[in-house]
Amino acid sequence: MGKAKNPRRVADNEAMAKLRMLRTSPQKLNLVAGMIRGKKVEKALTDLTFSNKRVAADVKKCLQSAIANAENNHNLDVDELIVAEAYVGKNLTMKRGRPRARGRFGKIIKPFAEITIKVRQVEEQA
């Protein structure tokens, strides 16, 4: 007698990937996530490849992982995938500082973020 199987966190026609500890602020990461929401995965990969944002390479890596999960783990068709959800969350914040004039201390905050990408298979309308 073993443990019961955990239910899937996503639907049968979905797959997801999560990337944690990205060294950027969630606000900047959300700009890149908004760029790919609702698009077909080929178009989203192209947009991320030619984006000028530094964090776009990491988001592309996460999207490729979600596509690979859909193909290998859930047997979904890669050509029919769209980016269903791309949402950003806060992670830890490193606190650093710099001495300032008259004995004061300038606070420097170095935020980290995380991104979750869900891809969904939709049938093409002919």
Side-chain angles (χ1 to χ4, degrees), residues 39-105:
K39 292 186 178 177
K40 294 182 72 60
V41 290
E42 303 91 31
K43 176 77 172 117
L45 284 172
T46 307
D47 288 352
L48 290 171
T49 302
F50 295 107
S51 174
N52 288 329
K53 304 280 188 187
R54 177 186 61 85
V55 76
D58 293 326
V59 175
K60 180 180 174 189
K61 190 174 173 183
C62 184
L63 179 58
Q64 287 171 330
S65 177
I67 295 167
N69 289 342
E71 184 178 17
N72 296 317
N73 300 346
H74 308 302
N75 299 320
L76 302 178
D77 186 16
V78 177
D79 297 327
E80 296 179 352
L81 291 178
I82 62 163
V83 180
E85 295 178 32
Y87 53 91
V88 175
K90 288 181 4 179
N91 210 310
L92 70 87
T93 303
M94 289 195 302
K95 280 99 174 170
R96 299 293 183 261
R98 180 180 178 91
R100 306 303 292 176
R102 299 170 63 180
R104 291 195 175 98
F105 186 70

Side-chain angles (χ1 to χ4, degrees), residues 17-20 22 29 33 59 62 86-89 113-117:
K18 189 169 204 171
L19 192 59
R20 293 191 168 118
L22 279 170
L29 185 58
V59 175
C62 184
Y87 53 91
V88 175
E114 57 187 47
I115 185 165
T116 305
I117 297 178

Side-chain angles (χ1 to χ4, degrees), residues 103-123:
R104 291 195 175 98
F105 186 70
K107 196 189 303 189
I108 298 173
I109 297 192
K110 300 186 175 208
F112 283 75
E114 57 187 47
I115 185 165
T116 305
I117 297 178
K118 288 185 184 177
V119 292
R120 181 180 299 136
Q121 180 177 346
V122 293
E123 282 71 32

